[in-house]
Amino acid sequence: MLAPYAARAEQTRGRRHPEHRHAYRDDYQRDRDRVIHSRAFRRLENKTQVFTRRLSDHFRNRLTHTIEVAQISRTIAAELDLNVDLVETLALVHDIGHPPFGHAGEHALDACMREQGLFFDHNLHALRIVEYFEQRYADFRGLNLTFEVREGIIKHSRDYSAREYPQLAEYLLDKRPPLEAQLIDLTDEIAYLTADLDDGLESEIITLADIRKGSGLFERFYVEVEKLYPQAAEKLKANEAIKRVLNALAGDLIEATKSRVRAAKIETLEDVRNAPRRLAGFSEGLEIERAELKKFLYQKLYYSPELARDKDDSKRVIAEMFAFWMQHPEKLPESYQDDAKASLPQTVCDYIAGMTDNFINEQHRALIG
Ligand code: MG
């Protein structure tokens, strides 16, 4: 049973190219399956989330992170009586526009583009992937996803103004996206904040003492776990506390979103779209603790000297490859040659953004050495 304000597949604004109905899958289920079968989705396996493979191969990569976001999103959406298939599709596609090497790669690519008077934005790139670069159908380029999925790709994490981004005008930029899309940025945070505590501890870049001091939320649960399992191994106690942090964030997101929906007297999807601000979110109290945990991870993990070496390597590889293809456009693959004539920097950027960590490193070794 869907909430009256949930997105309904039968009320989709549809696809760019009309298609026949499928015998037993609705439009959002088909979109989810299209995302899973895309090449860009498979490449997530070899893209850095936070830790490169140099450190260990059991840390999250962008694919396993994506699967965790999908899992958390499904649970929360189901409890809110939202459209689980749409939420799952948006979760599975949410990081598809990320270049190799995580955020370091993203900043490096953006810096290269800014020198050309352009910029790189991973949401815009995700849209280009599903609309243009994926080629699986004889009738059209792209995956021909429904409006709501394309809208969610663009609007799940931030607002874009129609003045600055006229090419996005069709996506109702002055309105809020459906709750299914609003959830994604928050479930993404729940997934990575907790996963990075786990991987961060495992990597020994952060210690249990660091976390207990840096996050009041974690500390509260760790004290509780210590009372319950005084004899347990420290790592297991940390895991128990992380699990409780995840549960607390998910439970709070569900309850706080429900109460905002109630307070705003939301009855239809149009009400969600017309609300003055986004309705999905944490309660005020947990929001403070979430922000504290995030700040802690930035200071102690993401900006740690231990990860700096990989980040510097990433920046150098991207900058050198960007410069290489700008000077040698003839070395771009045949399938990019037409695009390169229209805009070389954009084409080089698109080519690099699609790469896995592996592939760009191989190209770098082969072409620059
Ligand atoms: Mg993510």
Side-chain angles (χ1 to χ4, degrees):
M1 270 296 286
L2 289 182
Y5 42 81
R8 285 173 162 70
E10 62 275 16
Q11 285 166 15
T12 174
R13 289 174 190 238
R15 307 180 185 281
R16 286 205 196 282
H17 310 278
E19 295 183 38
H20 292 298
R21 287 181 58 149
H22 189 272
Y24 45 83
R25 290 179 303 158
D26 73 28
D27 279 320
Y28 297 149
Q29 292 169 335
R30 291 174 86 179
D31 281 2
R32 174 197 59 207
D33 300 346
R34 286 174 192 200
V35 168
I36 290 176
H37 286 268
S38 68
R39 285 169 55 153
F41 183 75
R42 291 194 293 280
R43 291 197 301 264
L44 293 173
E45 180 188 19
N46 215 305
K47 292 195 185 217
T48 291
Q49 174 70 14
V50 174
F51 301 93
T52 62
R53 290 260 157 105
R54 179 178 71 80
L55 290 146
S56 160
D57 58 9
H58 62 237
F59 294 146
R60 274 82 174 172
N61 59 48
R62 224 166 252 286
L63 180 63
T64 60
H65 159 73
T66 293
I67 293 169
E68 291 184 356
V69 175
Q71 173 265 312
I72 294 166
S73 303
R74 285 183 60 102
T75 304
I76 292 172
E79 187 55 28
L80 289 169
D81 297 326
L82 296 174
N83 191 313
V84 172
D85 294 315
L86 177 57
V87 166
E88 185 177 17
T89 309
L90 293 175
L92 291 171
V93 81
H94 89 280
D95 269 353
I96 219 165
H98 273 283
F101 306 135
H103 288 286
E106 190 177 354
H107 291 144
L109 196 51
D110 184 55
C112 295
M113 286 293 271
R114 290 200 184 262
E115 281 178 26
Q116 307 292 329
L118 300 163
F119 63 93
F120 176 76
D121 174 289
H122 69 92
N123 290 336
L124 292 174
H125 185 66
L127 206 53
R128 293 163 64 73
I129 287 176
V130 302
E131 292 243 78
Y132 187 70
F133 288 110
E134 286 290 327
Q135 295 188 64
R136 302 185 61 82
Y137 301 96
D139 285 329
F140 41 76
R141 275 191 85 132
L143 301 177
N144 198 29
L145 301 176
T146 55
F147 174 87
E148 294 75 20
V149 173
R150 285 178 281 125
E151 179 199 21
I153 287 174
I154 270 303
K155 286 159 72 174
H156 74 270
S157 58
R158 53 167 282 208
D159 297 320
Y160 292 79
S161 77
R163 196 170 40 80
E164 253 182 290
Y165 300 91
Q167 75 272 35
L168 299 178
E170 69 181 294
Y171 294 113
L172 313 172
L173 296 178
D174 55 339
K175 297 191 178 207
R176 259 40 64 207
L179 282 165
E180 284 83 354
Q182 295 185 27
L183 279 183
I184 300 301
D185 199 42
L186 305 158
T187 53
D188 184 25
E189 286 229 355
I190 295 176
Y192 78 71
L193 292 175
T194 51
D196 293 342
L197 286 179
D198 182 20
D199 289 346
L201 265 178
E202 197 70 34
S203 71
E204 298 179 354
I205 295 174
I206 52 175
T207 65
L208 181 60
D210 290 336
I211 304 176
R212 293 187 62 178
K213 208 163 116 229
S215 166
L217 184 61
F218 179 90
E219 171 65 5
R220 223 170 45 236
F221 290 120
Y222 193 83
V223 168
E224 182 187 308
V225 167
E226 261 196 328
K227 282 198 193 113
L228 282 170
Y229 306 102
Q231 308 299 332
E234 201 171 74
K235 184 69 200 343
L236 291 181
K237 286 192 267 193
N239 282 351
E240 288 287 341
I242 293 170
K243 186 181 83 178
R244 284 164 172 77
V245 169
L246 197 162
N247 253 319
L249 289 166
D252 183 85
L253 175 55
I254 291 166
E255 291 312 317
T257 302
K258 268 186 197 167
S259 79
R260 276 193 203 108
V261 165
R262 253 195 320 268
K265 299 194 167 48
I266 299 298
E267 279 167 13
T268 65
L269 178 55
E270 272 316 292
D271 292 344
V272 173
R273 290 192 174 286
N274 290 325
R277 60 185 71 83
R278 293 178 181 230
L279 296 156
F282 300 102
S283 66
E284 255 172 63
L286 216 76
E287 175 56 30
I288 292 167
E289 295 189 297
R290 181 205 61 81
E292 182 196 42
L293 172 55
K294 187 169 172 172
K295 190 173 154 207
F296 163 76
L297 283 169
Y298 267 88
Q299 286 175 345
K300 297 286 176 180
L301 182 63
Y302 308 144
Y303 293 144
S304 66
E306 289 86 346
L307 294 184
R309 179 184 134 191
D310 284 328
K311 286 198 225 164
D312 291 344
D313 286 349
S314 308
K315 283 181 202 155
R316 187 173 49 79
V317 167
I318 286 196
E320 290 178 7
M321 294 316 299
F322 192 95
F324 177 85
W325 280 305
M326 286 299 291
Q327 280 157 19
H328 304 282
E330 76 285 357
K331 297 262 168 71
L332 286 166
E334 187 54 41
S335 58
Y336 283 83
Q337 290 299 333
D338 282 344
D339 289 339
K341 281 177 199 113
S343 168
L344 182 57
Q346 186 63 55
T347 304
V348 172
C349 176
D350 287 335
Y351 185 42
I352 290 176
M355 292 179 183
T356 60
D357 294 13
N358 236 5
F359 186 75
I360 194 169
N361 279 329
E362 272 169 26
Q363 294 288 305
H364 188 258
R365 263 193 301 275
L367 296 167
I368 293 176

PDB file of all heavy atoms in Angstrom, residues 254-272:
ATOM      1  N   ILE A 254      13.058   8.325   9.359  1.00  0.00           N
ATOM      2  CA  ILE A 254      11.677   7.876   9.123  1.00  0.00           C
ATOM      3  C   ILE A 254      10.701   8.724   9.948  1.00  0.00           C
ATOM      4  O   ILE A 254       9.748   9.304   9.414  1.00  0.00           O
ATOM      5  CB  ILE A 254      11.524   6.382   9.489  1.00  0.00           C
ATOM      6  CG1 ILE A 254      12.289   5.514   8.490  1.00  0.00           C
ATOM      7  CG2 ILE A 254      10.043   5.981   9.547  1.00  0.00           C
ATOM      8  CD1 ILE A 254      12.489   4.067   8.935  1.00  0.00           C
ATOM      9  N   GLU A 255      10.967   8.821  11.239  1.00  0.00           N
ATOM     10  CA  GLU A 255      10.021   9.512  12.124  1.00  0.00           C
ATOM     11  C   GLU A 255       9.957  11.010  11.819  1.00  0.00           C
ATOM     12  O   GLU A 255       8.873  11.597  11.786  1.00  0.00           O
ATOM     13  CB  GLU A 255      10.385   9.275  13.593  1.00  0.00           C
ATOM     14  CG  GLU A 255      10.153   7.844  14.069  1.00  0.00           C
ATOM     15  CD  GLU A 255       8.771   7.293  13.684  1.00  0.00           C
ATOM     16  OE1 GLU A 255       7.771   8.046  13.815  1.00  0.00           O
ATOM     17  OE2 GLU A 255       8.690   6.133  13.239  1.00  0.00           O
ATOM     18  N   ALA A 256      11.115  11.627  11.628  1.00  0.00           N
ATOM     19  CA  ALA A 256      11.127  13.077  11.391  1.00  0.00           C
ATOM     20  C   ALA A 256      10.455  13.411  10.052  1.00  0.00           C
ATOM     21  O   ALA A 256       9.761  14.423   9.938  1.00  0.00           O
ATOM     22  CB  ALA A 256      12.561  13.605  11.422  1.00  0.00           C
ATOM     23  N   THR A 257      10.670  12.550   9.060  1.00  0.00           N
ATOM     24  CA  THR A 257      10.029  12.787   7.759  1.00  0.00           C
ATOM     25  C   THR A 257       8.507  12.632   7.886  1.00  0.00           C
ATOM     26  O   THR A 257       7.751  13.473   7.387  1.00  0.00           O
ATOM     27  CB  THR A 257      10.602  11.826   6.695  1.00  0.00           C
ATOM     28  OG1 THR A 257      12.021  12.027   6.624  1.00  0.00           O
ATOM     29  CG2 THR A 257       9.978  12.070   5.323  1.00  0.00           C
ATOM     30  N   LYS A 258       8.089  11.553   8.571  1.00  0.00           N
ATOM     31  CA  LYS A 258       6.646  11.360   8.793  1.00  0.00           C
ATOM     32  C   LYS A 258       6.028  12.585   9.456  1.00  0.00           C
ATOM     33  O   LYS A 258       4.962  13.053   9.054  1.00  0.00           O
ATOM     34  CB  LYS A 258       6.428  10.163   9.739  1.00  0.00           C
ATOM     35  CG  LYS A 258       6.243   8.838   9.051  1.00  0.00           C
ATOM     36  CD  LYS A 258       5.897   7.771  10.100  1.00  0.00           C
ATOM     37  CE  LYS A 258       6.097   6.379   9.537  1.00  0.00           C
ATOM     38  NZ  LYS A 258       6.080   5.337  10.566  1.00  0.00           N
ATOM     39  N   SER A 259       6.695  13.108  10.478  1.00  0.00           N
ATOM     40  CA  SER A 259       6.053  14.199  11.219  1.00  0.00           C
ATOM     41  C   SER A 259       6.057  15.489  10.397  1.00  0.00           C
ATOM     42  O   SER A 259       5.120  16.277  10.479  1.00  0.00           O
ATOM     43  CB  SER A 259       6.653  14.360  12.615  1.00  0.00           C
ATOM     44  OG  SER A 259       7.854  15.049  12.546  1.00  0.00           O
ATOM     45  N   ARG A 260       7.079  15.707   9.551  1.00  0.00           N
ATOM     46  CA  ARG A 260       7.050  16.885   8.668  1.00  0.00           C
ATOM     47  C   ARG A 260       5.933  16.773   7.625  1.00  0.00           C
ATOM     48  O   ARG A 260       5.277  17.761   7.307  1.00  0.00           O
ATOM     49  CB  ARG A 260       8.391  17.054   7.954  1.00  0.00           C
ATOM     50  CG  ARG A 260       9.380  17.788   8.809  1.00  0.00           C
ATOM     51  CD  ARG A 260      10.583  18.249   8.027  1.00  0.00           C
ATOM     52  NE  ARG A 260      11.645  18.428   9.017  1.00  0.00           N
ATOM     53  CZ  ARG A 260      12.674  17.634   9.150  1.00  0.00           C
ATOM     54  NH1 ARG A 260      12.861  16.638   8.315  1.00  0.00           N
ATOM     55  NH2 ARG A 260      13.548  17.842  10.107  1.00  0.00           N
ATOM     56  N   VAL A 261       5.759  15.564   7.114  1.00  0.00           N
ATOM     57  CA  VAL A 261       4.699  15.339   6.126  1.00  0.00           C
ATOM     58  C   VAL A 261       3.335  15.615   6.752  1.00  0.00           C
ATOM     59  O   VAL A 261       2.470  16.259   6.156  1.00  0.00           O
ATOM     60  CB  VAL A 261       4.783  13.889   5.564  1.00  0.00           C
ATOM     61  CG1 VAL A 261       3.511  13.508   4.827  1.00  0.00           C
ATOM     62  CG2 VAL A 261       5.996  13.750   4.649  1.00  0.00           C
ATOM     63  N   ARG A 262       3.199  15.135   7.995  1.00  0.00           N
ATOM     64  CA  ARG A 262       1.928  15.361   8.712  1.00  0.00           C
ATOM     65  C   ARG A 262       1.711  16.850   8.987  1.00  0.00           C
ATOM     66  O   ARG A 262       0.655  17.400   8.706  1.00  0.00           O
ATOM     67  CB  ARG A 262       1.937  14.594  10.045  1.00  0.00           C
ATOM     68  CG  ARG A 262       1.039  13.364  10.079  1.00  0.00           C
ATOM     69  CD  ARG A 262       0.813  12.872  11.510  1.00  0.00           C
ATOM     70  NE  ARG A 262       1.982  12.922  12.367  1.00  0.00           N
ATOM     71  CZ  ARG A 262       2.848  11.900  12.533  1.00  0.00           C
ATOM     72  NH1 ARG A 262       2.666  10.765  11.894  1.00  0.00           N
ATOM     73  NH2 ARG A 262       3.885  12.029  13.338  1.00  0.00           N
ATOM     74  N   ALA A 263       2.758  17.497   9.511  1.00  0.00           N
ATOM     75  CA  ALA A 263       2.640  18.917   9.886  1.00  0.00           C
ATOM     76  C   ALA A 263       2.325  19.784   8.669  1.00  0.00           C
ATOM     77  O   ALA A 263       1.591  20.766   8.777  1.00  0.00           O
ATOM     78  CB  ALA A 263       3.930  19.388  10.558  1.00  0.00           C
ATOM     79  N   ALA A 264       2.878  19.411   7.514  1.00  0.00           N
ATOM     80  CA  ALA A 264       2.638  20.212   6.304  1.00  0.00           C
ATOM     81  C   ALA A 264       1.330  19.817   5.617  1.00  0.00           C
ATOM     82  O   ALA A 264       1.015  20.352   4.551  1.00  0.00           O
ATOM     83  CB  ALA A 264       3.814  20.063   5.335  1.00  0.00           C
ATOM     84  N   LYS A 265       0.609  18.883   6.221  1.00  0.00           N
ATOM     85  CA  LYS A 265      -0.677  18.414   5.668  1.00  0.00           C
ATOM     86  C   LYS A 265      -0.537  17.958   4.206  1.00  0.00           C
ATOM     87  O   LYS A 265      -1.335  18.329   3.333  1.00  0.00           O
ATOM     88  CB  LYS A 265      -1.741  19.499   5.797  1.00  0.00           C
ATOM     89  CG  LYS A 265      -2.019  19.905   7.244  1.00  0.00           C
ATOM     90  CD  LYS A 265      -3.293  20.702   7.348  1.00  0.00           C
ATOM     91  CE  LYS A 265      -3.795  20.860   8.769  1.00  0.00           C
ATOM     92  NZ  LYS A 265      -2.776  21.292   9.761  1.00  0.00           N
ATOM     93  N   ILE A 266       0.498  17.176   3.973  1.00  0.00           N
ATOM     94  CA  ILE A 266       0.760  16.685   2.612  1.00  0.00           C
ATOM     95  C   ILE A 266      -0.214  15.559   2.293  1.00  0.00           C
ATOM     96  O   ILE A 266      -0.325  14.589   3.043  1.00  0.00           O
ATOM     97  CB  ILE A 266       2.213  16.168   2.515  1.00  0.00           C
ATOM     98  CG1 ILE A 266       3.215  17.281   2.807  1.00  0.00           C
ATOM     99  CG2 ILE A 266       2.467  15.507   1.157  1.00  0.00           C
ATOM    100  CD1 ILE A 266       3.188  18.451   1.869  1.00  0.00           C
ATOM    101  N   GLU A 267      -0.915  15.698   1.173  1.00  0.00           N
ATOM    102  CA  GLU A 267      -1.860  14.647   0.784  1.00  0.00           C
ATOM    103  C   GLU A 267      -1.561  14.029  -0.572  1.00  0.00           C
ATOM    104  O   GLU A 267      -1.946  12.883  -0.822  1.00  0.00           O
ATOM    105  CB  GLU A 267      -3.292  15.206   0.803  1.00  0.00           C
ATOM    106  CG  GLU A 267      -3.859  15.211   2.220  1.00  0.00           C
ATOM    107  CD  GLU A 267      -5.121  16.030   2.352  1.00  0.00           C
ATOM    108  OE1 GLU A 267      -5.711  16.398   1.309  1.00  0.00           O
ATOM    109  OE2 GLU A 267      -5.507  16.304   3.502  1.00  0.00           O
ATOM    110  N   THR A 268      -0.905  14.794  -1.418  1.00  0.00           N
ATOM    111  CA  THR A 268      -0.649  14.276  -2.771  1.00  0.00           C
ATOM    112  C   THR A 268       0.807  14.534  -3.156  1.00  0.00           C
ATOM    113  O   THR A 268       1.519  15.299  -2.493  1.00  0.00           O
ATOM    114  CB  THR A 268      -1.535  15.014  -3.809  1.00  0.00           C
ATOM    115  OG1 THR A 268      -1.117  16.402  -3.821  1.00  0.00           O
ATOM    116  CG2 THR A 268      -3.001  14.918  -3.453  1.00  0.00           C
ATOM    117  N   LEU A 269       1.211  13.897  -4.252  1.00  0.00           N
ATOM    118  CA  LEU A 269       2.558  14.137  -4.780  1.00  0.00           C
ATOM    119  C   LEU A 269       2.724  15.612  -5.174  1.00  0.00           C
ATOM    120  O   LEU A 269       3.798  16.193  -4.992  1.00  0.00           O
ATOM    121  CB  LEU A 269       2.802  13.214  -5.984  1.00  0.00           C
ATOM    122  CG  LEU A 269       4.141  13.343  -6.714  1.00  0.00           C
ATOM    123  CD1 LEU A 269       5.318  13.180  -5.758  1.00  0.00           C
ATOM    124  CD2 LEU A 269       4.233  12.310  -7.828  1.00  0.00           C
ATOM    125  N   GLU A 270       1.653  16.223  -5.672  1.00  0.00           N
ATOM    126  CA  GLU A 270       1.724  17.651  -6.013  1.00  0.00           C
ATOM    127  C   GLU A 270       2.012  18.495  -4.766  1.00  0.00           C
ATOM    128  O   GLU A 270       2.750  19.475  -4.835  1.00  0.00           O
ATOM    129  CB  GLU A 270       0.415  18.125  -6.681  1.00  0.00           C
ATOM    130  CG  GLU A 270       0.396  17.959  -8.183  1.00  0.00           C
ATOM    131  CD  GLU A 270       1.687  18.382  -8.886  1.00  0.00           C
ATOM    132  OE1 GLU A 270       1.982  19.593  -8.900  1.00  0.00           O
ATOM    133  OE2 GLU A 270       2.405  17.510  -9.407  1.00  0.00           O
ATOM    134  N   ASP A 271       1.427  18.090  -3.620  1.00  0.00           N
ATOM    135  CA  ASP A 271       1.723  18.801  -2.363  1.00  0.00           C
ATOM    136  C   ASP A 271       3.214  18.702  -2.025  1.00  0.00           C
ATOM    137  O   ASP A 271       3.821  19.665  -1.548  1.00  0.00           O
ATOM    138  CB  ASP A 271       0.918  18.201  -1.196  1.00  0.00           C
ATOM    139  CG  ASP A 271      -0.581  18.452  -1.322  1.00  0.00           C
ATOM    140  OD1 ASP A 271      -0.972  19.331  -2.117  1.00  0.00           O
ATOM    141  OD2 ASP A 271      -1.351  17.762  -0.609  1.00  0.00           O
ATOM    142  N   VAL A 272       3.788  17.514  -2.235  1.00  0.00           N
ATOM    143  CA  VAL A 272       5.226  17.329  -1.976  1.00  0.00           C
ATOM    144  C   VAL A 272       6.018  18.275  -2.867  1.00  0.00           C
ATOM    145  O   VAL A 272       6.930  18.979  -2.421  1.00  0.00           O
ATOM    146  CB  VAL A 272       5.664  15.866  -2.248  1.00  0.00           C
ATOM    147  CG1 VAL A 272       7.184  15.722  -2.140  1.00  0.00           C
ATOM    148  CG2 VAL A 272       4.961  14.892  -1.311  1.00  0.00           C
TER     149      VAL A 272
END
